[in-house]
Amino acid sequence: MRRRCCCLLLLLLALLCEPGRGGEPGPGAVTCGSVLKLLNTRHNVRLHSHEVKYGSGSGQQSVTGVEASDDANSYWRIRGKNDDTCQRGTPVKCGQAIRLTHVNTGKNLHTHHFPSPLSNNQEVSAFGDDGEGDDLDIWTVQCSGTHWEREDAVRFKHIGTDVFLSITGEQYGHPIRGQREVHGMNSPNHHNYWMAMEGVFIKPSMDPAKHDEL
């Protein structure tokens, strides 16, 4: 009996010492300042934006989902609610408030009370200039552990309106034929899971110069 208890204790200690266990971020933690692509795991498309405005609703820059993995307009930079709350290289915690800034246009992932053009859910747009928008650019990362890990499927819940970043498969016609509508949904479901894919990930280190290129 004593030997069995010792074995169980050693196993527990080994698990707690693994990277990412016991509240410590693992080597695959997503970090502030990283630039990445986000894949919707249900529909296998990446979060995307471009200098094409909605023809209805807010008229702001559109946000869509694209199948291509090599599209340069699918990169987003992870930033904090304000830059002081998300220092470069710091692992993003589950429940943390972040902004996602579109790299090529400098606009933030945004939503508001306008209907989306195809599904009549809540419109998701890209808003602001040079990374500066408003309070409707803020989302929380919903994940199951302590930190957002690259291999985890996560949700993004909008702080201002309580919707989840989602895709349900509706496709646009001209001029962005085949791209999928991105919108906000009121309920958590299989349409609003996202995973970190290609990108430049700043290592969780005191040295902000270190990064992984994938």
Side-chain angles (χ1 to χ4, degrees), residues 81 98-99 109-111 127 133-139 158-161:
K81 182 178 179 180
I98 65 167
R99 291 175 290 173
L109 189 70
H110 180 96
T111 190
F127 174 76
D134 63 21
D135 288 344
L136 293 178
D137 301 340
I138 302 170
W139 305 74
H158 190 243
I159 288 183
T161 64

Side-chain angles (χ1 to χ4, degrees), residues 10-166:
L10 288 172
L11 177 60
L12 178 60
L13 288 172
L15 288 172
L16 289 173
C17 290
E18 285 183 13
R21 301 277 185 173
E24 292 297 320
V30 177
T31 53
C32 298
S34 293
V35 173
L36 51 70
K37 295 181 180 181
L38 291 166
L39 179 77
N40 182 279
T41 60
R42 173 68 175 180
H43 297 279
N44 201 37
V45 293
R46 285 160 174 78
L47 188 69
H48 178 92
S49 193
H50 38 224
E51 293 182 351
V52 177
K53 294 183 178 181
Y54 287 119
S56 61
S58 69
Q60 293 175 5
Q61 183 170 298
S62 59
V63 172
T64 63
V66 297
E67 293 181 353
S69 62
D70 58 352
D71 195 313
N73 274 322
S74 299
Y75 283 112
W76 301 82
R77 185 182 305 279
I78 299 171
R79 303 167 63 211
K81 182 178 179 180
N82 56 66
D83 289 333
D84 292 337
T85 62
C86 197
Q87 294 294 322
R88 182 179 169 88
T90 304
V92 176
K93 294 180 179 180
C94 297
Q96 184 170 336
I98 65 167
R99 291 175 290 173
L100 290 165
T101 302
H102 188 243
V103 171
N104 280 358
T105 63
K107 296 184 183 297
N108 296 327
L109 189 70
H110 180 96
T111 190
H112 39 214
H113 292 297
F114 286 94
S116 60
L118 301 182
S119 66
N120 206 41
N121 284 299
Q122 185 165 298
E123 180 191 278
V124 170
S125 64
F127 174 76
D129 293 298
D130 296 324
E132 297 306 318
D134 63 21
D135 288 344
L136 293 178
D137 301 340
I138 302 170
W139 305 74
T140 56
V141 181
Q142 294 199 336
C143 43
S144 57
T146 303
H147 295 90
W148 176 10
E149 302 285 343
R150 280 186 243 171
E151 67 271 17
D152 293 343
V154 304
R155 291 189 174 103
F156 299 100
K157 186 174 184 180
H158 190 243
I159 288 183
T161 64
D162 289 331
V163 297
F164 295 88
L165 184 69
S166 308

Side-chain angles (χ1 to χ4, degrees), residues 193-213:
Y193 276 119
W194 301 84
M195 185 173 289
M197 299 298 287
E198 306 84 3
V200 177
F201 295 87
I202 310 300
K203 286 186 177 180
S205 166
M206 295 302 290
D207 182 359
K210 293 183 178 180
H211 60 271
D212 288 337
E213 295 188 16

